Amino acid sequence: MIYLMLANGFEESEALVSWDMLLRAGNEVKLVSITDSLTVQGTHGLETQADMTVIQALALQEKAQAIVLPGGLPGADNLYESGDCRRLIERVYGDGGLMCAICAAPSVYGRMGLLRGVKATCYPSFERFLEGAVFTDERVTLDGRFLTAKAMGCTAEFALEAIRVLNGEQTAERVKNSIFM
C-alpha cells in the first residue's frame, strides 16, 4: 500500500498525477486526508475525496511500501503541522518505506530531521527547510529511500522514478510508454 497524503492547500497536479501513475503501475494507493473530513481542498480550489483519514491509516497498523507528500501551499505547511501526519511519516520511515515528496513538501521531511546527510531537491526558496540535507538542483533526486522533486512540472518524472523503485524498470517503461506516446 502507498499512502498519498492530502492536506488542505495541496497542489492538485502533484497529487493526482502521482496517484494516477502509481495506480497504472498496479500499486494500491490510498488518498489520506490529514483532517477529520474525507473532502480535501487543493490550492486551486479542487475538492478531492480521500479514501481514509490519517487516523484511520494509523489504526491500520499495515506496513506501507511508500508515502507520497504533494507540495502546494499551504498544503505542505499543513502536512508538517499535523502531528498525526508526522506520526504516519515516522511509521513508514521506520518500516523502511520509500519516502517521496515534491515541490515544497520535502521541507516536511527536512523539518522532521529525516534528511540529514541525504541528497534532496525542492521548490526554490524551500532549501532552508531541508535541515542537514545535501541540496541538489536536480529536477528529481533519489538518495536511498528518499525521492524528492523540484516542482509541479517534474511530477511525471517523479512518479516514474517512484515506479522504478517500487515496481521495477520494466513496469516504469510500460507506464511511461502508455502516457508519452
Side-chain angles (χ1 to χ4, degrees):
M1 178 182 315
I2 297 169
Y3 295 125
L4 197 151
M5 307 305 293
L6 297 179
N8 285 320
F10 72 94
E11 173 55 54
E12 293 95 341
S13 306
E14 294 166 1
L16 300 179
V17 170
S18 296
W19 171 80
D20 178 277
M21 291 177 67
L22 288 162
L23 284 175
R24 288 171 190 254
N27 295 293
E28 180 183 2
V29 185
K30 295 295 183 186
L31 296 174
V32 180
S33 169
I34 67 161
T35 72
D36 293 338
S37 173
L38 291 178
T39 303
V40 187
Q41 187 169 12
T43 192
H44 300 104
L46 178 70
E47 289 189 351
T48 302
Q49 189 75 15
D51 299 305
M52 64 179 66
T53 67
V54 67
I55 295 297
Q56 292 169 323
L58 285 165
L60 287 178
Q61 296 298 319
E62 187 171 329
K63 188 175 177 179
Q65 293 174 275
I67 191 165
V68 180
L69 308 183
L73 289 177
D77 291 334
N78 290 338
L79 290 171
Y80 177 73
E81 291 169 8
S82 167
D84 292 326
C85 181
R86 289 194 314 272
R87 277 188 284 289
L88 188 60
I89 289 168
E90 289 168 351
R91 187 168 85 198
V92 174
Y93 178 73
D95 286 345
L98 182 65
M99 310 297 290
C100 307
I102 185 169
C103 196
S107 66
V108 176
Y109 297 150
R111 292 163 73 184
M112 290 177 67
L114 298 177
L115 293 177
R116 288 191 179 89
V118 174
K119 292 179 188 173
T121 192
C122 64
Y123 191 80
S125 79
F126 280 81
E127 301 95 332
R128 69 185 184 277
F129 298 114
L130 303 185
E131 297 173 15
V134 178
F135 177 73
T136 74
D137 199 30
E138 300 168 335
R139 291 172 57 82
V140 177
T141 299
L142 175 65
D143 187 4
R145 293 189 297 120
F146 284 91
L147 175 63
T148 55
K150 197 169 196 172
M152 186 268 290
C154 308
T155 305
E157 295 166 66
F158 170 74
L160 283 171
E161 188 63 25
I163 292 166
R164 276 188 190 88
V165 173
L166 296 168
N167 305 98
E169 185 66 37
Q170 189 174 23
T171 301
E173 282 302 309
R174 179 182 54 77
V175 172
K176 179 181 174 184
N177 292 335
S178 76
I179 64 172
F180 294 114
M181 302 186 116

